[in-house]
Amino acid sequence: MSEKRRVLVTGASRGIGRAVAIEAARQGFDPVIHYCRNAAAAEAVAAEIRGLGGSGAMLSFDCSDRDGARTAIEADIAANGVYYGVVCNAGIADDSPFPALEDNQWDRVLRTDLDGFYNVLKPVVLPMISERIHGRIVAISSISGLIGNRGQVNYSAAKAGIIGAAKALAIELAKRRITVNCVAPGIIETDMVQGLPDDEVKRLIPMRRYGKPEEVAALVCFLLSDATAYITRQVISINGGMI
C-alpha cells in the first residue's frame, strides 16, 4: 500500500480531471483515477501517473448510480485505505433552450452532476471522520452555476446546487478539520467547448482565450495542499475575468 496520501479524482480520464490527477501526482499525492466507460483513456492517465511515482490505481463506476458508486468506493477503501481527499469533477452537459429542453436532458444532467456529489461523497466522509483524516474535498462547479448561461438551465441548476451543497458540508466538517471548497471554471479547453463559435466566445472573455485544464488543476491542487488548512466554504472561479 502506498504511503502517499490517496486522492480520488472523479472523471479523471480526460479534460480537467485528467489534468488534476497528473498534477496531484506531481505534487506527491497518489491519485485514484475514476472513470465511467473509457478504460483505455483512464489507463493512459494511470501509466503517466505511474511514471510520476503514483500507484496508477483506477476505479470505475457511474456517478449517477448510487448503489454502484457506493459499492465501488467502499470496496476500494476497505482494500487500500481511506482517502485523504476527493475531487468531485465528473459531470456532463446536455444543452438546449429551456422551451425545447427534454425531461431526460434535465434528469441526466442533474443525476450525474448534482446527485453525483452525494453519491461519491456519502461513502467517503464517514471513514474520513472515523480515521481522523484532516482531508480535503474540492467540488468542481462552473461559472454557469454562479451567473447562469443561456441554453444551460439544467447544467446551471446542477452546478449551483453543488455550490450550496459544498458550502453546507463545509460547515458540518469544519470542526473535523476537513475542508470543502468549490472551483468554478469558466470556458476551458476541453471536449465541452468543441463546436462553440470560437471568435464569438472569446470576445466574452477579457483575456481573449480559453483557460487550460492545467491552470484549473493548479488551483485544485493548491486547495488539496497543507497550505490551505484554513480555507473552507469558498468558491473560487477561474475564468479569465468573465465575472
Side-chain angles (χ1 to χ4, degrees):
M1 187 183 303
S2 171
E3 294 180 359
K4 294 183 177 183
R5 292 180 292 186
R6 302 173 73 234
V7 175
L8 174 63
V9 183
T10 67
S13 65
R14 60 190 178 94
I16 290 172
R18 175 185 182 276
V20 168
I22 291 169
E23 181 60 25
R26 286 196 182 106
Q27 295 195 17
F29 297 101
D30 188 14
V32 177
I33 304 148
H34 161 264
Y35 68 99
C36 184
R37 295 178 183 85
N38 196 338
E43 177 54 45
V45 178
E48 190 164 350
I49 286 172
R50 285 192 287 269
L52 293 167
S55 67
M58 296 164 54
L59 194 62
S60 179
F61 58 84
D62 183 343
C63 289
S64 69
D65 177 359
R66 184 164 299 156
D67 291 339
R70 179 182 294 115
T71 298
I73 290 169
E74 288 179 347
D76 185 52
I77 290 173
N80 300 296
V82 178
Y83 305 124
Y84 168 77
V86 182
V87 180
C88 292
N89 165 77
I92 61 170
D94 193 352
D95 298 349
S96 178
F98 189 73
L101 190 68
E102 299 288 344
D103 291 352
N104 69 312
Q105 290 177 285
W106 177 270
D107 291 341
R108 281 186 67 236
V109 171
L110 270 291
R111 295 297 82 80
T112 302
D113 295 13
L114 183 55
D115 284 5
F117 176 94
Y118 176 85
N119 296 344
V120 170
L121 291 179
K122 187 62 165 63
V124 164
V125 166
L126 189 55
M128 290 176 76
I129 292 171
S130 298
E131 294 293 324
R132 299 184 178 178
I133 304 293
H134 299 164
R136 306 281 184 266
I137 295 169
V138 182
I140 305 300
S141 179
S142 168
I143 192 173
S144 296
L146 293 171
I147 61 173
N149 191 35
R150 184 188 303 272
Q152 289 192 319
V153 173
N154 52 354
Y155 186 73
S156 297
K159 292 300 188 177
I162 286 171
I163 290 172
K167 282 179 171 285
L169 185 59
I171 298 171
E172 293 189 14
L173 296 182
K175 66 182 178 182
R176 307 290 186 176
R177 300 185 188 178
I178 299 170
T179 68
V180 186
N181 292 289
C182 279
V183 170
I187 303 173
I188 309 298
E189 288 178 353
T190 67
D191 295 346
M192 284 190 177
V193 304
Q194 290 181 1
L196 292 179
D198 196 66
D199 291 338
E200 181 181 335
V201 173
K202 285 180 179 176
R203 282 196 293 270
L204 301 174
I205 306 169
M207 284 192 172
R208 295 297 189 268
R209 70 171 178 87
Y210 299 153
K212 299 180 183 302
E214 294 77 13
E215 292 171 317
V216 180
L219 173 57
V220 172
C221 289
F222 170 66
L223 291 171
L224 293 175
S225 72
D226 292 334
T228 60
Y230 202 56
I231 298 174
T232 196
R233 206 183 175 198
Q234 302 307 302
V235 181
I236 305 174
S237 188
I238 174 167
N239 59 58
M242 291 180 70
I243 59 172

